Amino acid sequence: MARSMRAIAVLPAQHEVKVLTAPEPRLQSPTDVRVRILEVGVCGTDKEICAFEYGTPPSGSEHLVIGHESLGEVVEAGPAVTKVRPGDLVVVMVRRPCDRPECVPCRAGRADFCSTGEFVERGINGAHGFMTEYVVDDERWLVPVPRSLRDVAVLVEPLTIAEKALLQVAQIQARLPWSCETRTRGWCHAAVVLGAGPVGLLGAMALVRAGFRTFVYSREAEGGAKDSLVRSFGATYVSSATTPPEGLPERTGGVDLVYEAVGLSRLAFEVMAHVERNGIFVFTGVAALKGPQPLDTDTLMRNLVLKNQVALGTVNAGRDAFEAAVADLGVFLERWPDAIREVITGRFPIEAHRDLLLGKPGGIKNLIALAN
Ligand code: BGC
């Protein structure tokens, strides 16, 4: 008889979030791997799912096991598995391809660009996630992580958002001579990150690592905890409480790239009006639908055209971004060991799930620890 395990699930029809018991999953195919989950990050998407605003259980199930920011340890590998073995640390990728033959990205292994919208996302849409003790998946969805990253590797998935963005920025900006060496202003490009939550802070670290003069723009006052964290990894903190969007270029010396990580559309478009010639604006936040808001669309359109600008939206991540995130986390840990650890503000037992998912627990990235 299968052993049972605990899992954190939402039941949308009953408007419930609870810990339930489920049978431990078993290998189904020779390339399957069984992973013992060590810890899972709690993010805004999980909270939205728990507020019944987003997310769908697998077909035929009343509940959805949530959680998509994973770190686990391989405990069993099928006979045809070649890429991982028991004892390896792994992060499980989130999205699975749709099965439509006409979906060129999915057929080419790029489900993060699925063109039909019929993809599945573990812990979010149509498949159970990782806030549980064991998961089974095909080895092609596992990303190996070095042991040296054990403390911080749960940040791989949220960091993939910035990595996918940076990969695209590099491709898009190859449209013009944009490398730092060709600039005459004496400094490299300035990047502004909107928001100082986990996605913003990890994005800011990735931008500093990539050579951008990086500014983090958020609500908290200058001189506070966020300011010193941001300073500790070589970026500059600018408070929106004292510098309005139109004051940003003066503080930053021009804005070449904006990495939006807060989901506030009004603020985003206000900042967009101050992007430089040839600049690029990357949206990663999912804005709450608050209805129409006034916006100077003429200025935005004139700038986009007359200043050769690009606005880009990005979601989810492919294997390239996961691998870049693993590599970058290694760099962050070496360069800024305290800062990267400070992004993780708490590890909590499964019993704390209600507070973390339904309350306002504070902190930056909180984790549910399922095993040691
Ligand atoms: C996840 C992505 C996912 C997106 C939309 C994010 O929180 O990190 O993997 O594609 O939500 O569902």
Side-chain angles (χ1 to χ4, degrees), residues 43 45 54 68 94-95 121 124-125 157 315-316:
C43 92
T45 303
Y54 192 60
H68 57 276
V94 179
R95 195 178 278 192
E121 288 180 340
I124 305 175
N125 283 310
E157 199 280 341
V315 69
N316 198 256

Side-chain angles (χ1 to χ4, degrees), residues 283-363:
F283 289 92
T284 77
V286 182
L289 299 173
K290 293 201 230 52
Q293 305 196 45
L295 195 64
D296 181 0
T297 50
D298 293 338
T299 299
L300 292 175
M301 184 166 163
R302 282 173 74 99
N303 283 356
L304 280 162
V305 172
L306 297 174
K307 297 184 177 178
N308 281 303
Q309 296 170 341
V310 171
L312 164 77
T314 181
V315 69
N316 198 256
R319 178 166 284 276
D320 55 351
F322 272 85
E323 285 171 356
V326 172
D328 260 358
L329 265 186
V331 175
F332 300 171
L333 198 58
E334 212 171 294
R335 282 171 71 172
W336 315 301
D338 296 337
I340 188 64
R341 286 196 173 91
E342 260 183 67
V343 173
I344 297 176
T345 39
R347 288 182 160 83
F348 298 87
I350 203 166
E351 290 74 22
H353 70 281
R354 292 193 75 79
D355 200 29
L356 296 173
L357 291 159
L358 307 171
K360 287 195 184 334

Side-chain angles (χ1 to χ4, degrees), residues 11 36 42-43 50 60 72 74 90 132 149-150 157 168 197 204 211 222 232 255 279 281 296 319 321 327 355 371:
L11 293 88
R36 187 166 64 105
V42 177
C43 92
C50 291
V74 173
V90 289
T132 185
L149 297 187
R150 165 64 182 87
E157 199 280 341
Q168 292 173 89
E222 285 168 33
S232 73
V255 181
F281 192 109
D296 181 0
R319 178 166 284 276
D355 200 29

Side-chain angles (χ1 to χ4, degrees), residues 64-68 121-124 127-132 134-135:
L64 169 74
V65 175
I66 59 168
H68 57 276
E121 288 180 340
R122 291 202 64 169
I124 305 175
H128 291 313
F130 311 132
M131 281 191 192
T132 185
Y134 292 93
V135 301

Side-chain angles (χ1 to χ4, degrees), residues 78-154:
V81 169
T82 58
K83 297 187 184 78
V84 293
R85 52 182 165 182
D88 285 355
L89 289 184
V90 289
V91 169
V92 190
M93 291 172 69
V94 179
R95 195 178 278 192
R96 304 291 173 270
C98 73
D99 53 19
R100 297 269 292 268
E102 70 271 26
C103 182
V104 176
C106 281
R107 301 292 68 79
R110 290 308 302 257
D112 59 314
F113 283 107
C114 174
S115 61
T116 66
E118 291 177 16
F119 56 80
V120 161
E121 288 180 340
R122 291 202 64 169
I124 305 175
N125 283 310
H128 291 313
F130 311 132
M131 281 191 192
T132 185
E133 294 173 68
Y134 292 93
V135 301
V136 165
D137 219 328
D138 191 277
E139 66 168 336
R140 74 194 149 123
W141 308 119
L142 305 183
V143 181
V145 169
R147 261 293 143 185
S148 55
L149 297 187
R150 165 64 182 87
D151 287 0
V152 292
V154 72

